Amino acid sequence: MINRSRKDSEEEHDLTPPADEYISPAPRVSVQAFCATVATAATVRSASEDRRLGKVHLSVHMGGIAAAIDAYHKAPTPNVIMLETEGSSDMLDGLDELATVCDAGTRVVVIGSATDVTPYRELVRRGVSDYVVGPVETLDVVRAICSLFSSSEAVAVGRIVAVVGAKGGVGSSTVAHNVAWAIARDLALDSVVIDLDLAFGTAGLDYNQDPIQGIANALFQQDRPDSALMERLLAKCSDRLSLLAAPATLEQVYDFGADAFDAIFDTLRMTTPCIVLDVPHQWSAWTKRALVGADDILIVAEPDLANMRNAKNMLNVLKAARPNDRPPLYCLNQVGMHKRPEITPREFAKAIESQPIATIPFDSKMFGMAANNGQMIQQISAGHRTTTMFLQMAQRLTGHAVTKRSRGSLLAPIMPIINRLRAGGSR
């Protein structure tokens, strides 16, 4: 597939990617880039640090297509080759020669220039998988590599949304569970909630589930978890929502390495369109890795000074760790608690330097009833404004619109009979 750059696209249609453009992470592949300019080489190196290329082994070489041909006369080709042509008039001859030394299955991405005159169809005939007009930016390189696999593989890569509290007890788990419910029910996306608070997780209680197995069974087994195992460990909460529950016991201490959950996330990504991580309020190697590796992040905060400080610190760290991603989002929860001094949403937003995506009012009766009954707010009061907020947050975090539900007509059972009578009368 030939993918034109923004310059070409804007001449015909305004196809500028939206701010929340979703780019699936690339699998574990090898990529070798042969650049003709120092600027492009620096951009590709910058792209190699993006979280979506975290599993990609990417190396950068100078010399363009001539250097690539020379290199592959002596060595096997990687999964992906990136070539910068710099407007070379003999690009097609170079691609023909490269084809003689390329292994089967190698994909080629060409970084061209505005002066290239080679027809796109000629590049396609020579097996070029993607074509990007330079000068390229970091996100162009990330998109070019990731799209090779997300658009061509039979199995899609699921989107991960991480929800975490700026402070303990701010209701981040409640927000995570209700947002996941809206994603599954109203956006019609098959979803999984993963409760990462193994000692004190509440997802099982909130969804009125008591599964015997859960995330601990996947974590502590010797072999890498596969899709069949994960399917057995999931508890069904609704038609489209499943839960990977925490054991919520204190029989052992749960200390993990930074990559402890990687295999679980990778396995679920291959079968589930949306994964919601309920991340506990702690700062460790694995929680930071889970947040940085997520596609979208939501920080839940209450309107007080400690929450404001913590939220600002978290936003700054996560923005720096994810320079090519949309900035993390945040919401204010339990706003308007009786007799409690609060920082106003306007003052909070001024200090954070961004607006909350939602300001959830304090309602102890409704939220307490939902928690004690093992229900979501939508089940308690479908028309409540908080229910609407959770739906809007689900849309913002996933980039999906509400799926319209067809309403059954009262005449539906007899419509076939009416249609037959009409057909008979028209003869």
Side-chain angles (χ1 to χ4, degrees):
M1 179 184 71
I2 294 301
N3 178 34
R4 302 190 195 185
S5 73
R6 291 191 302 274
K7 292 179 180 178
D8 290 332
S9 300
E10 288 170 357
E11 291 177 3
E12 300 171 12
H13 304 285
D14 183 13
L15 298 179
T16 305
D20 63 344
E21 176 193 12
Y22 175 54
I23 302 175
S24 301
R28 201 175 301 277
V29 294
S30 59
V31 180
Q32 294 179 2
F34 291 84
C35 304
T37 63
V38 174
T40 299
T43 301
V44 176
R45 289 192 183 96
S46 174
S48 68
E49 299 175 1
D50 188 275
R51 64 169 183 88
R52 286 159 289 206
L53 301 184
K55 296 181 181 178
V56 174
H57 179 71
L58 196 158
S59 59
V60 181
H61 313 271
M62 300 303 296
I65 193 167
I69 294 168
D70 183 62
Y72 299 133
H73 272 298
K74 309 164 188 174
T77 53
N79 301 104
V80 180
I81 302 172
M82 298 194 78
L83 302 170
E84 186 182 16
T85 63
E86 204 178 21
S88 174
S89 58
D90 58 352
M91 177 170 52
L92 293 181
D93 292 337
L95 289 173
D96 288 337
E97 187 173 354
L98 180 65
T100 64
V101 295
C102 261
D103 300 331
T106 296
R107 306 180 189 191
V108 177
V109 176
V110 173
I111 301 174
S113 72
T115 60
D116 283 341
V117 294
T118 306
Y120 293 120
R121 62 178 176 275
E122 293 297 331
L123 296 174
V124 174
R125 275 183 205 164
R126 284 160 173 79
V128 172
S129 302
D130 201 356
Y131 180 85
V132 184
V133 175
V136 292
E137 299 177 359
T138 301
L139 199 57
D140 296 325
V141 176
V142 173
R143 187 186 299 110
I145 295 174
C146 293
S147 64
L148 292 176
F149 301 94
S150 63
S151 62
S152 61
E153 298 297 320
V155 181
V157 179
R159 185 171 189 149
I160 290 183
V161 175
V163 183
V164 66
K167 192 170 175 282
V170 298
S172 62
S173 291
T174 299
V175 171
H177 305 160
N178 278 276
V179 167
W181 183 269
I183 291 172
R185 185 183 185 279
D186 298 305
L187 307 187
L189 289 175
D190 290 334
S191 305
V192 168
V193 173
I194 304 181
D195 193 342
L196 295 175
D197 190 351
L198 272 72
F200 303 105
T202 60
L205 297 175
D206 285 353
Y207 289 121
N208 197 24
Q209 298 288 325
D210 188 21
I212 299 174
Q213 296 179 309
I215 190 169
N217 300 88
L219 271 174
F220 298 129
Q221 72 153 7
Q222 294 182 348
D223 300 327
R224 182 182 176 88
D226 57 18
S227 298
L229 172 66
M230 299 310 301
E231 189 66 30
R232 292 197 301 271
L233 298 180
L234 293 175
K236 199 76 170 174
C237 301
S238 69
D239 289 342
R240 291 187 176 273
L241 182 64
S242 299
L243 168 65
L244 191 58
T249 63
L250 304 180
E251 296 173 356
Q252 65 182 97
V253 176
Y254 302 105
D255 293 328
F256 305 114
D259 59 352
F261 295 90
D262 286 4
I264 294 174
F265 298 163
D266 291 345
T267 301
L268 283 174
R269 270 187 186 274
M270 303 309 293
T271 58
T272 310
C274 187
I275 301 161
V276 178
L277 306 182
D278 181 2
V279 183
H281 176 72
Q282 64 181 70
W283 197 248
S284 60
W286 72 264
T287 54
K288 181 180 179 182
R289 185 180 179 92
L291 291 170
V292 171
D295 297 297
D296 285 281
I297 304 169
L298 176 65
I299 298 172
V300 181
E302 287 186 0
D304 62 30
L305 186 60
N307 274 274
M308 187 170 70
R309 179 203 63 186
N310 294 352
K312 187 173 180 64
N313 288 342
M314 294 172 73
L315 287 166
N316 289 341
V317 169
L318 293 171
K319 283 179 186 177
R322 300 153 48 91
N324 305 311
D325 284 271
R326 177 172 66 172
L329 305 172
Y330 78 96
C331 72
L332 292 176
N333 192 29
Q334 302 186 36
V335 176
M337 185 182 295
H338 184 56
K339 292 186 178 181
R340 179 180 71 174
E342 295 181 349
I343 297 174
T344 66
R346 174 179 288 185
E347 292 172 335
F348 204 102
K350 184 177 180 180
I352 297 293
E353 298 179 340
S354 65
Q355 295 293 326
I357 64 169
T359 301
I360 304 171
F362 176 72
D363 191 333
S364 58
K365 182 178 180 180
M366 184 172 65
F367 279 88
M369 184 186 302
N372 290 335
N373 293 346
Q375 292 179 299
M376 297 293 100
I377 299 302
Q378 187 181 62
Q379 296 173 295
I380 296 289
S381 180
H384 197 275
R385 60 173 176 161
T386 305
T387 299
T388 303
M389 286 184 184
F390 286 134
L391 174 56
Q392 292 170 342
M393 293 163 71
Q395 292 175 283
R396 185 80 179 270
L397 288 164
T398 61
H400 283 72
V402 175
T403 299
K404 293 183 179 179
R405 301 172 183 273
S406 58
R407 296 184 179 180
S409 169
L410 295 175
L411 297 177
I414 62 173
M415 280 306 295
I417 300 174
I418 294 175
N419 290 335
R420 284 199 298 271
L421 292 174
R422 285 176 178 173
S426 61
R427 290 175 186 173

